[in-house]
Amino acid sequence: MPAGSSRMKPSSAAVSPREPGRRADARHNRGRILEAGRALFAARGLDVPMAAVARRAGVGVATLYRHFPTREALITTVFADQITACTTVVDDALAEPDPWDGFRLVIEKMCVMNALDRGFSAAFLTAFPDATDFEREHVRVERGFATLVQRAKDTGRLRADFERSDLSLLLMANNGITAGSTEAAVAASRRLAALLLHSFRADLTDRTAPLPPPARLAP
């Protein structure tokens, strides 16, 4: 047997030494795209051009589309944490002994989430049939909120003509708040939520409860 003939040839399936580096670069680019999308959607809503997201992330548009082939894919990935947080809020509200307190908790928390992220309400109100996980969580939120609404009505504290779809109307109104800072937006959102909760009450027991202080809003 000739010398060296017993040595095994490298398998064609062996991983290239450069491949781990490529994978690390891909993870890095994906993270930068998500960070850029999160920042732009929060500040400007969901109509931000994909090219603007790529530019802020410091990647080419082709790289962005390799990671997220559609705008829907990017949006649902960016807002996955928020929809999960919504589910947690509703679950916590359902565990409240007082149905009105549970209903109030959802309104207040979701308004603040919206104030912190301008893209949140648009993502929440949009149907994404191809994003299975996102839609499943969205349905859980809607069903849980419907249960809260009925429980609060059954106690006589929520007006009988409140509809589950009024949550969408509330979020749209909340999304229209314009303020000079995040702190001011949150303060204005809390006041709006308090005003609306007053109007949702079927009884008069807390009509004298003070509202949160007004916020400095942009002209």
Side-chain angles (χ1 to χ4, degrees):
M1 181 178 296
S5 62
S6 62
R7 294 176 184 172
M8 296 181 62
K9 295 181 179 179
S11 168
S12 60
V15 176
S16 165
R18 296 178 58 190
E19 195 167 313
R22 290 198 187 110
R23 287 199 297 266
D25 286 345
R27 287 194 300 269
H28 179 68
N29 286 339
R30 179 183 172 86
R32 288 174 63 87
I33 293 167
L34 288 173
E35 182 180 346
R38 191 172 293 115
L40 290 173
F41 293 150
R44 295 163 51 183
L46 303 186
D47 294 332
V48 176
M50 295 287 270
V53 176
R55 188 161 53 249
R56 182 178 180 114
V59 301
V61 174
T63 298
L64 186 154
Y65 279 110
R66 275 199 298 274
H67 289 280
F68 301 100
T70 65
R71 175 183 293 273
E72 175 180 301
L74 177 59
I75 291 171
T76 54
T77 303
V78 164
F79 289 102
D81 289 344
Q82 283 91 332
I83 196 69
T84 300
C86 282
T87 305
T88 301
V89 167
V90 171
D91 288 344
D92 289 345
L94 287 168
E96 284 284 339
D98 186 326
W100 173 259
D101 286 344
F103 174 82
R104 177 181 54 78
L105 176 70
V106 171
I107 299 298
E108 291 175 345
K109 293 284 189 181
M110 291 189 72
C111 280
V112 169
M113 289 174 68
N114 187 189
L116 292 171
D117 190 332
R118 291 182 63 84
F120 165 71
S121 61
F124 182 81
L125 297 172
T126 303
F128 297 105
D130 295 330
T132 307
D133 292 343
F134 191 93
E135 280 299 297
R136 182 173 57 249
E137 293 298 299
H138 191 214
V139 169
R140 278 190 63 194
V141 171
E142 289 191 330
R143 288 177 177 171
F145 185 69
T147 299
L148 286 166
V149 167
Q150 191 57 54
R151 287 181 184 177
K153 286 182 179 181
D154 290 344
T155 66
R157 299 176 72 184
L158 175 63
R159 47 191 302 159
D161 57 355
F162 182 91
E163 296 291 335
R164 181 180 65 179
S165 60
D166 288 332
L167 177 63
S168 299
L169 185 62
L170 185 156
L171 290 176
M172 289 177 184
N174 192 71
N175 201 45
I177 292 173
T178 303
S181 67
T182 300
E183 293 76 13
V186 169
S189 180
R190 291 188 191 281
R191 186 171 174 87
L192 175 63
L195 285 165
L196 291 171
L197 285 166
H198 275 288
S199 72
F200 297 156
R201 288 293 294 259
D203 57 0
L204 303 176
T205 57
D206 75 340
R207 292 292 185 183
T208 59
L211 293 171
R216 185 186 297 276
L217 301 177

